[in-house]
Amino acid sequence: MIIPLIILAIGMNNDNTQFQKIIIVIVAVLIIWSVADIFVDYFMYTYQLLESEIVIRSGLFVKKVNHVPYKRIQNITTNQWFFLKPFKLVELEIETAGHSETSEVSLKAVPSSLKDEINHLRDGVQVVEDIKPVAKNTYQISWSDLLSFSLTSPAFLSGLLVVLAAYGKISDLINDQFYADMATKAAGLGFLVVVFLAILVVVIFYIGSALILIAKYYHFRLTENDGQFVIERGLFQTKKTTIATERIQAIVIKQPLMRSFLKIATIQLVIVSNSNQGDTEKGIIVMPVIKTDKIPQFMTHFFKSVPFAIPEFQPQKFTYFYNFRNYSLWSLPILIILIAILHNHILITVILTMVVLILWNIPAYLKSKRSKVTVLNRDYIFLQNSSLMTKQTMFIPKMTIQFLKRRNSLWLEKKQIAGLTVNVRSGIAKRSFNVDYQKQADIDSVLKWYKE
C-alpha cells in the first residue's frame, strides 16, 4: 500500500478539487485491489505433505497444482523476518533439480517446525540437510571482523552507479528550468562547497552500504559436519541455508584492492542452484573476512579434500606487454578528448595525460601480476586472475568443469601464447573463469589434465 499512499500525498497537494477527487478514487481502487489480492492468495494457496511428495495448490481463475517429490528436493532455505520471530513463523524456499529462476516452492509464514517435518518425511529417500547436533567445525563472525568486512567493501560504488543509471533514465523528464536554477545555486555556493557536497554524497553511500552489509551478515555463523555446510546470518531477516559439498563447483578467494593492502580476504563458494537470486548469483560467502595468513588453516579445517596451495610464479614479461598495450589503447578516446579541450594548456594536458595513463594502467599491472593457471593434482586446478582490481584465487575440481577453451589468435599462436576459459555451473547458468597471455605449454598441460 506504500505506492498508493505516496500517490495520495502528492495528489492532495494540488489545489484542483476535481483532481483531488480523481486521485482519491484511484488510491481507493488500488488499496482495495491490494487487500483483495492478499486475501485471494491466502485462501487459494494450500500445501499438503504426503508420504512421498509435497502438493501445492494455488490460483483462483487458473488453478495450479505443483507436485514436488521429496527425493527431488536439493535444498531448503529458511528466511525469518524479525516480526515473525515472536510467532515462530518462517518462509521456506524449496529448490529441486529443475531449472527455474526462483525456488520452485515458497511457503510463507509457516511454522518453523515445518522444515524438520519435511526432512523427517525425506528420511530414507534422500536427506540433504540432516545436520547432526554436534558440529565438527564452527565459525562465528566477531564485531571487529564484521566491521572490517563492511568498511572495506566496494559495494557502495554499485549503489552509486545504480542511482546514476536511474537518473539517466528520468533526466529527460526534468524541466530545463530546474537545471538552470541548480546551476545558479551551485555557482553561488562556490567551487569548494560543491566539491564538499559531492564528497558528502559519496560518504553517505559508503556509510549506507556498510550498514546494509552489517545488517545482512549480522551474527554470521558457519557450521560444517559430514560434508554439509549450514550458514546463518541476518539482523532484520535471519537466513539459514544448508549446502551439500557435492553442490560446490569452485572455491573462490576474493580480495578487492583495499583488502589486499589490509591482508584480508573473503572466501566464496560457487554452487549448483535453481535460483539466480541472492547470494547464489555470484557465490555463497562462507567466510566474510579472514586474514590471509589464516586461510590455509581455514581451508584445512573446512575443505579437507582441497589441496590448498598458492604456487609461486613469476609473471611473464609478454603478459605485462600485452595487458599494458590493451589498456593504453582503451584510454586513447579519453586522451583525445583531453587534448581537444585543453590543447592551449600544454603543461596541464601533459600532466593529465600522465595521470590518466597511470590510473588506467593500474588494472593492467595487477592483471598481469596475478594471472596464473596450473594443475595442483589429479582432481584440482589452481587459477588466479584480477577483475576490476579484485584479486580472485580459484580452486576448481575437475569433476565440476563443464568445459575448457583455449584462446589464441594466429599472431599469438606463433609466439606460443594463449589464454584459457574454464566454465562451471553457477546457479542455473554458468560461471566463467579466464586467464590471458600465458605460455601455451601451461595451457596445454591443463587441457591434457582435463582429458585424462
Side-chain angles (χ1 to χ4, degrees):
M1 298 183 186
I2 293 175
I3 294 177
L5 292 176
I6 291 174
I7 294 173
L8 180 63
I10 296 173
M12 295 305 292
N13 286 328
N14 195 295
D15 296 331
N16 190 325
T17 306
Q18 188 66 25
F19 180 76
Q20 290 181 353
K21 291 180 180 180
I22 295 173
I23 288 295
I24 292 173
V25 172
I26 292 174
V27 169
V29 170
L30 289 175
I31 291 176
I32 293 171
W33 179 273
S34 300
V35 173
D37 184 58
I38 291 169
F39 278 94
V40 168
D41 281 346
Y42 176 75
F43 286 108
M44 302 308 298
Y45 193 101
T46 64
Y47 67 91
Q48 185 178 13
L49 303 184
L50 302 180
E51 184 178 349
S52 60
E53 66 178 3
I54 306 173
V55 179
I56 299 94
R57 295 178 174 86
S58 61
L60 177 61
F61 300 108
V62 179
K63 301 288 186 179
K64 296 180 181 179
V65 181
N66 191 1
H67 297 264
V68 182
Y70 298 128
K71 65 181 181 180
R72 301 291 291 173
I73 294 176
Q74 277 192 341
N75 184 43
I76 301 177
T77 298
T78 303
N79 298 318
Q80 187 179 48
W81 284 98
F82 65 93
F83 49 78
L84 292 179
K85 286 185 179 181
F87 306 101
K88 296 182 179 180
L89 297 175
V90 298
E91 176 188 2
L92 296 184
E93 295 181 356
I94 300 174
E95 296 182 9
T96 69
H99 291 276
S100 63
E101 293 189 353
T102 58
S103 302
E104 278 78 357
V105 177
S106 179
L107 302 178
K108 298 181 179 180
V110 295
S112 55
S113 60
L114 182 62
K115 180 180 179 180
D116 294 332
E117 189 176 353
I118 293 174
N119 282 332
H120 177 72
L121 291 168
R122 291 164 63 193
D123 269 336
V125 183
Q126 180 183 352
V127 181
V128 175
E129 299 192 69
D130 186 16
I131 305 300
K132 296 181 180 180
V134 180
K136 292 181 179 178
N137 296 310
T138 301
Y139 163 76
Q140 175 79 51
I141 195 169
S142 64
W143 267 108
S144 60
D145 286 345
L146 182 57
L147 288 174
S148 298
F149 174 70
S150 303
L151 296 175
T152 57
S153 173
F156 76 97
L157 293 174
S158 301
L160 194 58
L161 291 174
V162 169
V163 172
L164 291 175
Y167 167 75
K169 292 183 178 180
I170 65 171
S171 59
D172 293 337
L173 303 177
I174 300 175
N175 194 298
D176 291 338
Q177 185 60 41
F178 174 80
Y179 288 112
D181 293 341
M182 291 299 295
T184 303
K185 291 179 181 179
L189 291 174
F191 176 75
L192 291 178
V193 176
V194 172
V195 171
F196 171 78
L197 291 175
I199 294 174
L200 182 63
V201 170
V202 174
V203 169
I204 291 172
F205 271 94
Y206 176 73
I207 295 174
S209 172
L211 292 176
I212 290 172
L213 286 175
I214 289 172
K216 184 176 180 180
Y217 290 97
Y218 179 77
H219 277 183
F220 181 94
R221 182 182 178 89
L222 171 67
T223 304
E224 182 272 332
N225 188 38
D226 290 338
Q228 304 285 331
F229 289 93
V230 179
I231 301 170
E232 301 175 69
R233 60 175 175 80
L235 176 59
F236 302 109
Q237 182 189 37
T238 302
K239 192 178 184 71
K240 183 177 180 180
T241 304
T242 305
I243 303 168
T245 52
E246 59 263 25
R247 296 174 61 201
I248 298 174
Q249 303 296 288
I251 300 169
V252 183
I253 303 172
K254 301 185 73 172
Q255 278 187 294
L257 192 59
M258 188 182 300
R259 291 179 186 163
S260 296
F261 292 133
L262 298 175
K263 294 185 178 180
I264 58 177
T266 297
I267 301 177
Q268 296 182 343
L269 301 180
V270 179
I271 66 168
V272 172
S273 170
N274 289 5
S275 175
N276 65 355
Q277 297 180 343
D279 289 335
T280 57
E281 186 176 358
K282 294 185 178 179
I284 293 281
I285 291 180
V286 292
M287 179 58 73
V289 59
I290 184 173
K291 292 285 186 181
T292 52
D293 58 354
K294 293 183 178 180
I295 293 177
Q297 182 182 0
F298 173 83
M299 295 291 290
T300 301
H301 285 170
F302 285 89
F303 301 97
K304 297 179 178 64
S305 62
V306 180
F308 180 79
I310 306 293
E312 294 185 4
F313 63 93
Q314 187 67 32
Q316 303 296 319
K317 292 181 180 179
F318 57 75
T319 306
Y320 284 104
F321 170 76
Y322 284 111
N323 280 321
F324 278 120
R325 181 203 65 180
N326 294 345
Y327 277 79
S328 296
L329 289 174
W330 279 108
S331 67
L332 282 179
I334 297 176
L335 296 178
I336 291 172
I337 294 172
L338 274 177
I339 294 171
I341 296 174
L342 303 171
H343 63 277
N344 292 326
H345 306 278
I346 299 177
L347 182 59
I348 296 176
T349 303
V350 171
I351 293 174
L352 289 178
T353 299
M354 296 298 296
V355 170
V356 168
L357 287 174
I358 291 171
L359 293 178
W360 198 268
N361 279 284
I362 289 176
Y365 171 78
L366 295 174
K367 188 173 183 179
S368 304
K369 183 180 179 181
R370 296 168 171 175
S371 295
K372 180 63 179 177
V373 61
T374 188
V375 176
L376 292 177
N377 61 17
R378 66 176 185 175
D379 297 320
Y380 280 85
I381 61 169
F382 166 90
L383 191 148
Q384 184 173 281
N385 62 20
S386 182
S387 175
L388 298 175
M389 295 194 290
T390 296
K391 181 181 179 181
Q392 298 184 120
T393 302
M394 285 77 72
F395 296 88
I396 309 172
K398 180 193 289 187
M399 62 180 295
T400 66
I401 297 175
Q402 293 182 325
F403 71 88
L404 299 177
K405 179 170 66 176
R406 189 183 75 181
R407 297 174 285 102
N408 57 353
S409 62
L410 292 174
W411 175 257
L412 291 178
E413 188 172 12
K414 293 178 181 179
K415 295 179 175 291
Q416 296 295 297
I417 300 172
L420 181 72
T421 296
V422 181
N423 275 16
V424 300
R425 182 178 170 186
S426 175
I428 61 173
K430 68 176 182 179
R431 177 86 174 267
S432 295
F433 302 111
N434 299 297
V435 64
D436 297 309
Y437 304 121
Q438 302 294 300
K439 288 183 179 179
Q440 187 167 302
D442 293 341
I443 303 299
D444 289 341
S445 66
V446 176
L447 294 174
K448 181 181 178 182
W449 162 84
Y450 186 60
K451 294 176 182 177
E452 292 177 349

